[in-house]
């Protein structure tokens, strides 16, 4: 019996830790960051990273400093990222990107599809370069 109670208590503690703070009434904070995703056509592949920009750049993003600088330059508007302008071939191999979470305390939910990975890079620069 003691073993069952211990197991049940451990399961409840694990479950409570897994519930996001905002799910129990807290407002999202800037430290939660953005979960960035990139996927191929029809979700044939997908990858994602977490990017924190405050109080200091971090997360699993390979270049959080540059990504946060570009987000700051765009004032958090992912449609206004400075990108990395360069010519791309005219090949249709769609790539969809998304950003979900908070940026400087503002809730963010954004998705966009580009004709190919080159156009994604030209439009978004370091933010989705992972």
């Amino acid at each position: 019996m003691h073993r069952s109670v211990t197991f049940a208590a451990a399961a409840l503690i694990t479950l409570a830790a897994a519930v996001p703070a905002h799910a129990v009434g807290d407002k999202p904070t800037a430290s939660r960051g953005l979960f960035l995703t990139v996927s191929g056509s029809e979700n044939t592949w997908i990858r994602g990273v977490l990017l924190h920009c405050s109080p200091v750049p971090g997360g699993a993003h390979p270049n959080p400093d540059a990504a946060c600088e570009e987000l700051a330059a765009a004032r958090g508007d992912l449609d206004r990222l400075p990108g990395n302008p360069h010519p791309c071939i005219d090949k249709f191999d769609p790539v969809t990107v998304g950003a979900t979470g908070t940026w400087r305390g503002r809730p963010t939910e954004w998705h966009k599809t580009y004709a190919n990975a080159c156009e994604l890079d030209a439009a978004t620069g370091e933010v989705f370069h992972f």
Side-chain angles (χ1 to χ4, degrees):
M1 175 73 174
H2 181 265
R3 223 169 157 190
S4 297
V5 171
T6 303
F7 178 76
L12 286 173
I13 290 169
T14 302
L15 181 61
V19 175
H22 67 275
V24 291
D26 290 349
K27 291 182 181 178
T29 63
S31 64
R32 294 195 191 282
L34 291 172
F35 184 64
L36 307 171
T37 59
V38 178
S39 63
S41 77
E42 298 180 27
N43 293 322
T44 53
W45 52 269
I46 190 166
R47 62 184 183 264
V49 298
L50 188 59
L51 174 67
H52 296 281
C53 291
S54 68
V56 295
H61 195 286
N63 194 350
D65 293 320
C68 289
E69 284 177 23
E70 290 182 3
L71 275 167
R75 296 183 180 176
D77 183 348
L78 287 108
D79 287 316
R80 294 177 156 231
L81 290 170
N84 178 18
H86 59 274
C88 293
I89 59 170
D90 190 20
K91 176 182 178 189
F92 188 70
D93 188 13
V95 178
T96 300
V97 294
T100 305
T102 57
W103 185 80
R104 294 191 177 174
R106 269 194 340 232
T108 302
E109 181 74 30
W110 180 86
H111 299 281
K112 191 166 186 175
T113 300
Y114 294 89
N116 56 51
C118 181
E119 288 189 14
L120 165 67
D121 180 57
T124 64
E126 286 296 320
V127 175
F128 291 97
H129 196 226
F130 54 86

